[in-house]
Amino acid sequence: MTHQLQQDSPTAVVGKRYKLISQLGIGGFGQTFLAQDLHLPDCPRCVVKRLLVKTNEPKNLQTARRLFNTEARVLYQLGNHDQIPSLFAHFEENQEFYLVQEFVEGEPMTRQIVKGEPWEEMRVIALLKDILEVLVFVHQQNVIHRDVKPSNLMRRRRDGKLVLIDFGAVKRVSVQAADPNTDIADSTVSIGTHGYIPNEQLAGKPRFSSDIYAVGLAGIQALTGVLPRDLGEDAQTSELDWRVHAPQVSSELAAILDRMVCYDFRDRYPTAVEALEALRSIAPDSADQGRSTEPGDDLASTVLLEPSQSPIMTLKQPSESYDFVPTDPKDETLTLSGSTASGSFLRASALAVAPPEHSFSERLTAAFQKPSLKQWTLLSAATVGLVLLGFKVSPLLRLSQPTTPLSAITYPTPKRSPLASPSPLTPEQQVRALLEQANRQRQQRQYADALTNYDKVIKLKPKMAKAHWGRCDALTGLKRPDQAIVACNDALALNPDYAEAMWSQGKALKLQDRSLEALKLFEQATLIKPKLTEAWVDRGITLQEFGRSSEAIDVLDEAIALNRNSAEAWSTKGSALWNLGRFDQAIAALDKALQIQPKAEGARALRQQAREQLGY
């Protein structure tokens, strides 16, 4: 029988480790508590859900038990997504079923989507995209949430991301346990919240598009400031009559929302993928914005590049020759003979479109003001960037010249002066160029070359903390921890809050088997700079080495949230999950690691062990 915990009652412990602190919610399917895990250091908080099973019949309990285990397996898999709470454990005690999940500290969207306070349209679109991006993953796992609504959307405090909570699938344990004959794929009892449930879900036959309906209603609620239950509907079509509350809405967004909340599920977007694509068609993601689509602006199809083994950071006087090859005026070409772009080529480009009395930047500006020369001048500008980024230009660089012949262009002062040599770099420019080259070499693991250049920088500018830190990291890469620690101390003396230097010093300390000191530095680095992914990864790895697997998972999740392509983070998370006996989740994490880095043999071996534990 269910023994409800009152707010003022003494706390209870379930599962011999979870101390119930306070009740977060109660409903027809059970209770939700804030709890502490007594088996872990510092007793971290978690959420415990007690599912209400309205039966004492042995056969019905057996059905509930089987269904409970099935649904828990689904939640384990879903918990691999950063914006879905992880399932830590599930167990049965005194014929009651419990779920233990990650506690999400944040604010429910019910505090932001407020009655009578409509949102701006772009904010609504951003919300819809946030929800749908999570639902794409859910639907790809062949799962229907069944209860999308503002109170089940949490804005996580630590990073502002939207987290989808309280999956309705586990509620089937409660509603189906009363009759074992109802153990079927779709519950015949409706699960969800009035106002956000479409008619097919009310009939007990939810579909992926049922979630789309709920998301659309949440968007309409934000856009209008009107609760779903207060929206009218067309008497003949049964379609929602919501537009009267949002006369300012654009026709594009209105059309998308109309389709999301169609009465007939067959008229809606079938899954979250299609709905998300529709929204992106009217509001591209920020990564897609700002890209030029004007013909001729994309040089990628014209310029052939190859990475330079030794990045060139200064422009040298060339020995190459540049020839205008006269052909048909409609197909004139500019041919560059030689292996590298140079300052002389750039100056020749600018002089061809403006008098020498103007500055280099003024010449480029003049060129851009003549549309017929835009492509040609872009090549010059692009070459500057490519050379400075350490690329070599292919020996033959050909770009169609503008249809206007160069001879037809006139300027007030047509006289050309001899090409000037590039101005020598200032000491500050030399320092910057050397530092950028050293950083690239370090990132490419060319530690000895990087160290040489960092030493040159320090000779020119002794108090540059970035150079001392780079030197420390390069020395760590060369397995010279004693010198690395000294270099990082030099960086920290110049900048005591230098998170990168703390992280690198921690790596050097680990080479000396001083892992506890290293862990403290990793923790300090992530506190000072929360977006320093590498420090989160090394902190998680170190925690796992100490056997503190649950803490390691939390830390590695932070790293993965910053960089989902960190094979090291996924692999270590898989190891931590394996230690905790959560083999399904371990396999999923290790699969991700192998997807990113197929040659990770350690991850492959551990994955096989996890599969054997599950009897695969």
Side-chain angles (χ1 to χ4, degrees):
M1 300 295 292
T2 300
H3 47 283
Q4 294 185 6
L5 179 72
Q6 301 299 324
Q7 289 281 2
D8 56 353
S9 68
T11 55
V13 175
V14 296
K16 299 181 181 180
R17 67 181 291 179
Y18 301 106
K19 181 181 179 181
L20 307 182
I21 301 173
S22 61
Q23 185 170 281
L24 296 175
I26 186 170
F29 299 106
Q31 297 166 279
T32 304
F33 301 97
L34 178 64
Q36 287 180 301
D37 189 341
L38 302 179
H39 285 199
L40 293 178
D42 300 325
C43 300
R45 290 182 293 179
C46 56
V47 171
V48 173
K49 294 186 178 182
R50 176 190 289 145
L51 304 184
L52 178 62
V53 180
K54 302 175 182 178
T55 180
N56 288 319
E57 293 294 328
K59 289 184 179 180
N60 296 0
L61 281 172
Q62 185 178 359
T63 298
R65 188 174 295 116
R66 176 160 41 87
L67 187 59
F68 176 63
N69 289 329
T70 300
E71 299 297 354
R73 186 178 296 272
V74 171
L75 290 181
Y76 273 130
Q77 182 65 28
L78 292 173
N80 287 317
H81 194 284
D82 173 59
Q83 291 165 265
I84 297 174
S86 296
L87 181 63
F88 296 149
H90 71 288
F91 58 91
E92 180 183 351
E93 186 173 87
N94 299 325
Q95 296 185 339
E96 292 178 338
F97 300 96
Y98 293 85
L99 296 170
V100 183
Q101 291 183 290
E102 172 190 3
F103 172 66
V104 179
E105 187 173 0
E107 183 177 69
M109 291 305 296
T110 48
R111 296 184 184 176
Q112 297 183 22
I113 303 177
V114 180
K115 183 178 180 181
E117 297 182 13
W119 287 16
E120 295 283 344
E121 182 168 316
M122 291 308 297
R123 189 182 177 194
V124 174
I125 293 174
L127 172 68
L128 292 170
K129 289 165 74 173
D130 280 349
I131 303 171
L132 289 169
E133 283 169 357
V134 184
L135 271 182
V136 165
F137 172 79
V138 174
H139 289 177
Q140 286 173 345
Q141 308 306 309
N142 205 31
V143 174
I144 306 169
H145 185 282
R146 305 175 189 232
D147 201 12
V148 178
K149 58 183 178 180
S151 60
N152 283 340
L153 298 166
M154 296 287 290
R155 186 67 72 182
R156 190 161 53 197
R157 183 166 293 124
R158 63 178 166 83
D159 58 10
K161 288 185 178 180
L162 206 65
V163 179
L164 185 58
I165 67 171
D166 201 17
F167 281 71
V170 296
K171 296 174 183 175
R172 294 195 295 166
V173 177
S174 299
V175 300
Q176 290 183 272
D179 183 359
N181 295 324
T182 62
D183 187 15
I184 54 177
D186 291 317
S187 171
T188 56
V189 179
S190 64
I191 296 170
T193 302
H194 178 66
Y196 301 92
I197 310 179
N199 63 304
E200 75 278 358
Q201 190 170 332
L202 282 170
K205 296 181 179 180
R207 303 171 185 272
F208 293 129
S209 61
S210 305
D211 283 347
I212 305 303
Y213 181 92
V215 176
L217 258 297
I220 289 172
Q221 182 179 345
L223 184 67
T224 63
V226 178
L227 295 173
R229 64 170 178 265
D230 295 332
L231 296 173
E233 64 177 41
D234 188 291
Q236 295 182 338
T237 64
S238 295
E239 302 291 355
L240 291 172
D241 186 18
W242 63 270
R243 290 202 193 194
V244 65
H245 300 287
Q248 78 288 356
V249 66
S250 68
S251 58
E252 293 86 0
L253 177 58
I256 291 173
L257 288 171
D258 277 342
R259 185 173 175 187
M260 292 178 80
V261 299
C262 278
Y263 180 83
D264 191 328
F265 70 87
R266 291 168 294 188
D267 295 330
R268 296 183 214 129
Y269 298 104
T271 70
V273 171
E274 292 82 1
L276 184 58
E277 286 177 352
L279 284 166
R280 285 174 173 165
S281 71
I282 66 169
D285 292 341
S286 57
D288 298 326
Q289 291 175 342
R291 295 180 181 173
S292 173
T293 57
E294 183 177 343
D297 280 0
D298 184 6
L299 296 178
S301 61
T302 308
V303 183
L304 303 177
L305 305 174
E306 52 188 23
S308 170
Q309 295 300 316
S310 300
I312 301 170
M313 293 306 300
T314 57
L315 301 179
K316 300 179 179 179
Q317 186 67 23
S319 59
E320 304 91 32
S321 60
Y322 307 98
D323 303 305
F324 284 101
V325 184
T327 58
D328 187 313
K330 295 182 179 179
D331 189 31
E332 290 184 338
T333 58
L334 175 65
T335 304
L336 165 63
S337 304
S339 60
T340 61
S342 70
S344 293
F345 171 61
L346 300 173
R347 292 175 184 276
S349 302
L351 284 168
V353 295
E357 289 76 15
H358 292 277
S359 68
F360 183 74
S361 60
E362 288 172 336
R363 294 169 198 157
L364 289 180
T365 302
F368 275 99
Q369 290 173 348
K370 293 180 176 293
S372 61
L373 294 172
K374 186 172 183 181
Q375 273 191 319
W376 188 71
T377 311
L378 273 174
L379 177 60
S380 303
T383 307
V384 175
L386 295 172
V387 173
L388 291 177
L389 288 172
F391 286 94
K392 290 181 179 180
V393 182
S394 62
L396 289 178
L397 182 62
R398 301 174 66 87
L399 181 69
S400 296
Q401 206 174 309
T403 55
T404 304
L406 293 175
S407 58
I409 304 170
T410 59
Y411 289 89
T413 308
K415 183 179 179 181
R416 297 285 189 263
S417 64
L419 298 180
S421 299
S423 302
L425 294 177
T426 66
E428 188 65 31
Q429 289 172 328
Q430 291 180 44
V431 168
R432 186 165 60 249
L434 282 168
L435 182 64
E436 290 174 355
Q437 186 174 11
N439 287 339
R440 277 198 306 278
Q441 290 168 332
R442 177 178 54 80
Q443 290 162 3
Q444 294 168 1
R445 301 188 179 184
Q446 299 170 7
Y447 297 123
D449 292 337
L451 187 60
T452 299
N453 280 319
Y454 284 128
D455 287 340
K456 290 178 180 178
V457 172
I458 292 169
K459 187 175 180 180
L460 291 168
K461 195 168 184 178
K463 293 187 177 182
M464 178 171 276
K466 289 181 179 179
H468 288 286
W469 162 64
R471 190 170 186 275
C472 169
D473 207 53
L475 286 164
T476 302
L478 291 169
K479 302 294 189 291
R480 292 155 61 179
D482 293 345
Q483 293 171 278
I485 290 170
V486 173
C488 272
N489 280 334
D490 290 339
L492 290 166
L494 294 165
N495 180 3
D497 292 329
Y498 201 166
E500 285 85 350
M502 294 175 188
W503 162 61
S504 292
Q505 191 171 56
K507 291 193 296 178
L509 287 169
K510 287 195 71 174
L511 290 175
Q512 296 180 329
D513 294 324
R514 296 161 64 183
S515 293
L516 189 57
E517 294 173 71
L519 179 60
K520 291 179 180 178
L521 283 172
F522 295 148
E523 290 173 350
Q524 195 172 354
T526 54
L527 285 173
I528 292 173
K529 192 171 183 177
K531 292 187 177 181
L532 185 56
T533 308
E534 297 86 349
W536 284 107
V537 173
D538 282 324
R539 180 179 168 185
I541 291 171
T542 309
L543 284 167
Q544 175 60 12
E545 290 170 351
F546 280 122
R548 294 160 63 177
S549 297
S550 292
E551 293 175 81
I553 291 170
D554 290 339
V555 168
L556 292 165
D557 282 342
E558 295 281 356
I560 291 167
L562 293 167
N563 178 14
R564 293 192 65 81
N565 291 319
S566 173
E568 200 170 19
W570 283 108
S571 180
T572 308
K573 181 179 179 180
S575 176
L577 291 164
W578 192 93
N579 280 358
L580 295 173
R582 291 154 59 178
F583 302 117
D584 277 346
Q585 286 180 285
I587 289 171
L590 293 166
D591 280 344
K592 183 65 176 178
L594 289 167
Q595 180 185 345
I596 299 167
Q597 194 176 89
K599 294 182 180 180
E601 295 303 324
R604 192 177 303 280
L606 189 60
R607 178 181 177 276
Q608 182 58 35
Q609 292 180 45
R611 288 176 62 85
E612 290 171 0
Q613 287 288 340
L614 292 173
Y616 291 167

